[in-house]
Structures are given as C-alpha cells and as structure tokens.
C-alpha cells in the first residue's frame, strides 16, 4: 500500500508539471483557437536560461527562474508577433505547419547556441526526502514544491481570468473575437498577453521538470510538450480546470503504468487511455460541446 502511495505521489508531481505546461496550451487554444506546438520548445529555452544563469553566472536559483520567466515571456510574445499574428485569418493547417517550423527553429537554434551535448541540470532542492511511516513513505521536497506551484498557478489564473480587466477580455475573445472587438477590446494585445502568460508558465514548468529529470538537451521539451498537449485534450482543451485535471491524471497513469506494467509501454498506455476517453467523450473530461454556427 505504501509503495502504491509513493508511486501516486510521484505521479501527482509529474502530472503537476504536465498541468502547468497544459495551461499554456489550453489558454492559447481557448482564446486564439490555435495549437502552439512550439510551446514544448519554450520549456527547453527556459530550462537552458535558468541552467546557465545558475551555473555560469552564479545567480541564486530564484533569480535564475525569474530570468527564465522573463526571457520566455518575451520569446512567447515575439513568436506570436512574427509567426502567428500574420496568420490570423489563415487556415488551421497553415498555423499548424508554422508552429512545427517554429519548433524546429528553436531546437536548432538551441543546438547552435548551447551545443547538443547533454548537460546535467542542477538540483535546487534538498536531496533528503520527508520520511513517514518509518521511512516506508518518502516525499521529496521537489515533489512538494512542484504540486504547490501547480496549485498556486491554477488559483492565480482562475482569479486573473475571472476578476481582472485583461482576464475578462481574454474570456470575451474566447467567446467571440468579433463581438469583443466591437466592444472596444484590443484582440491582438489580448492574444499577445495570452502567449506571454503561457510562455512564462512554460519557463516554470521547464525548471521543475529538469529538477526532477536533470538531463538537459535541445529536445528536452519535445516529449513533455506532446504529453502536456495530450493532457489538455484529455481534460478538455480550452478549460483551465480541465488542464489541471488532465495533467494530474496523465502523470498518475504514466507512473503507475511504468511501475506495474512496463516502463517501455508507459507512453503507449498513456496515449491509449486518451484515445478511449476521446471515443467516449470527444470534448474531454471537462470540455464543452461546441456547435458550429452555419
């Protein structure tokens, strides 16, 4: 039983990282109605910035994280302005191809800037876990910080979208961009702010992910990005609570599948569960059915 609890805690910790990344996906899709597949590579950029800030410039880890958030926020706004803004009226296929192109651009840019050699990400948390039940149940400090960060970010985003002027503008754009523009809302600025927030969350997620899995390469963000997108679809893309629920469930399924079934099959099991959920509920667990207006 305690072994299962250990796996469950690890799953919730990993799922919290997926949830933070999925929030970026779900906000961009919910407001701009586009899939930013370069989001996973913004995670990688944030991790690299924090890595070099701490190891090369001897900054405090907190300052390293803040610098990564700042860089990724600016990067997200630049990507939106240069790559996505010209495609506002383009087909979804054109946007998808552009997103893939931006993803490869960031990966190859990282190889040129920082080389493709594997780097070991430093641990920012104490290595001694909290032990309960005579040491049978161990909870790492990194897991606690990750889960708390996810909860705080979720609550902050919920408050932001429900109580602030910009948050209400985001909700209005999500419902109907044309009507929002007629009401005086700057749609372009709202979408740009959405990318900024999503990219800032990607930087935090990159640091948390690399703290748990300390291998850093230019493709570090690819698989977490795909899994986080899966989590967003799982919970209901466009729904902030759905991103949280999908991320947590995905992390738990992955860790339990790896522990009790097969490490090699864990990813396949995760995507198989997603397929089953979408067959039963195509809009995701917390998603809403949207009827197309003709």
């Amino acid at each position: 039983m305690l072994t299962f609890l250990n796996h469950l805690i690890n799953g919730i910790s990993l799922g919290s990282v997926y949830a933070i990344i999925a929030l970026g996906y779900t906000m961009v899709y919910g407001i701009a109605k586009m899939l930013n597949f370069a989001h996973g590579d913004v995670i990688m950029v944030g991790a690299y910035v924090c890595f070099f800030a701490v190891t090369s410039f001897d900054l405090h880890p907190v300052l390293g994280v803040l610098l990564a958030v700042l860089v990724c926020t600016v990067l997200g706004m630049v990507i939106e302005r240069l790559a996505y803004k010209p495609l506002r009226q383009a087909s979804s296929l054109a946007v998808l191809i552009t997103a893939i192109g931006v993803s490869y651009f960031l990966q190859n840019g990282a190889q040129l800037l920082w080389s493709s050699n594997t780097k070991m990400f430093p641990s920012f948390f104490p290595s001694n876990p909290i032990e309960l039940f005579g040491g049978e149940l161990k909870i790492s400090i990194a897991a606690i910080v990750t889960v708390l960060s996810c909860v705080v970010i979720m609550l902050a985003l919920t408050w932001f979208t429900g109580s602030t002027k910009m948050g209400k503008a985001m909700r209005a754009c999500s419902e109907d961009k044309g009507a929002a523009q007629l009401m005086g809302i700057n749609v372009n600025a709202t979408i740009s702010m959405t990318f900024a927030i999503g990219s800032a969350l990607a930087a935090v997620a990159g640091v948390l992910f690399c703290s748990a899995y300390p291998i850093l390469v230019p493709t570090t963000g690819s698989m977490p990005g795909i899994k986080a997108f899966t989590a967003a679809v799982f919970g209901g893309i466009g729904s902030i609570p759905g991103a949280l629920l999908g991320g947590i469930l995905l992390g738990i399924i992955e860790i339990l599948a790896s522990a009790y079934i097969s490490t090699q099959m864990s990813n396949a099991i995760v995507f198989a569960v997603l397929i089953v959920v979408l067959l039963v509920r195509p809009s995701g667990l917390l998603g809403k059915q949207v009827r197309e207006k003709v």
Side-chain angles (χ1 to χ4, degrees):
M1 182 62 183
L2 293 178
T3 302
F4 175 79
L5 284 177
N6 271 317
H7 293 316
L8 187 63
I9 291 168
N10 291 333
I12 293 173
S13 175
L14 178 60
S16 296
V17 176
Y18 290 156
I20 295 172
I21 306 170
L23 285 169
Y25 275 114
T26 205
M27 286 182 66
V28 169
Y29 181 81
I31 294 166
K33 295 296 182 288
M34 63 175 61
L35 298 174
N36 179 23
F37 278 114
H39 191 64
D41 298 290
V42 178
I43 299 167
M44 172 269 298
V45 172
Y48 266 109
V49 171
C50 185
F51 172 82
F52 283 108
V54 173
T55 59
S56 299
F57 297 98
D58 294 324
L59 290 182
H60 190 277
V62 174
L63 294 178
V65 174
L66 291 177
L67 181 61
V69 168
L70 178 62
V71 170
C72 287
T73 299
V74 174
L75 177 63
M77 296 176 72
V78 169
I79 290 173
E80 189 276 331
R81 182 66 180 269
L82 297 180
Y84 298 134
K85 187 178 179 181
L87 301 176
R88 286 278 194 271
Q89 307 303 320
S91 66
S92 56
L93 180 60
V95 177
L96 178 62
I97 293 171
T98 302
I100 295 172
V102 172
S103 173
Y104 280 112
F105 175 81
L106 291 176
Q107 287 182 23
N108 286 277
Q111 288 185 7
L112 290 173
L113 283 174
W114 301 309
S115 81
S116 57
N117 296 331
T118 300
K119 293 175 174 59
M120 296 304 296
F121 199 83
S123 177
F124 297 153
F125 307 106
S127 57
N128 296 328
I130 297 173
E131 297 184 355
L132 303 173
F133 302 106
E136 293 294 326
L137 181 62
K138 296 181 180 181
I139 306 174
S140 68
I141 304 298
I144 295 173
V145 172
T146 301
V147 174
L148 288 178
S149 299
C150 181
V151 172
V152 169
I153 289 170
M154 170 71 185
L155 293 175
L157 272 181
T158 302
W159 170 81
F160 177 80
T161 55
S163 303
T164 65
K165 185 177 180 180
M166 179 56 73
K168 291 176 181 178
M170 288 178 176
R171 291 168 61 189
C173 290
S174 176
E175 290 293 329
D176 191 321
K177 291 189 188 65
Q181 196 162 18
L182 289 174
M183 295 299 292
I185 294 173
N186 189 331
V187 173
N188 287 329
T190 303
I191 293 175
S192 184
M193 178 59 68
T194 304
F195 271 84
I197 294 173
S199 299
L201 295 181
V204 175
V207 173
L208 292 174
F209 181 80
C210 288
S211 296
Y213 302 92
I215 296 176
L216 181 57
V217 292
T219 55
T220 289
S222 298
M223 186 54 72
I226 293 172
K227 290 181 179 177
F229 172 69
T230 303
V233 175
F234 194 7
I237 194 162
S239 168
I240 291 177
L244 177 67
L245 178 62
I248 297 295
L249 289 178
L250 199 77
I252 292 173
I253 292 169
E254 181 179 340
I255 294 297
L256 292 182
S258 179
Y260 293 109
I261 301 176
S262 170
T263 305
Q264 288 78 18
M265 290 292 292
S266 59
N267 289 338
I269 292 169
V270 164
F271 292 116
V273 171
L274 172 70
I275 292 170
V276 172
V277 169
L278 292 181
L279 287 174
V280 176
R281 188 173 174 81
S283 58
L285 296 175
L286 299 183
K288 297 178 180 178
Q289 294 282 1
V290 179
R291 294 183 179 178
E292 291 289 336
K293 296 179 182 180
V294 180

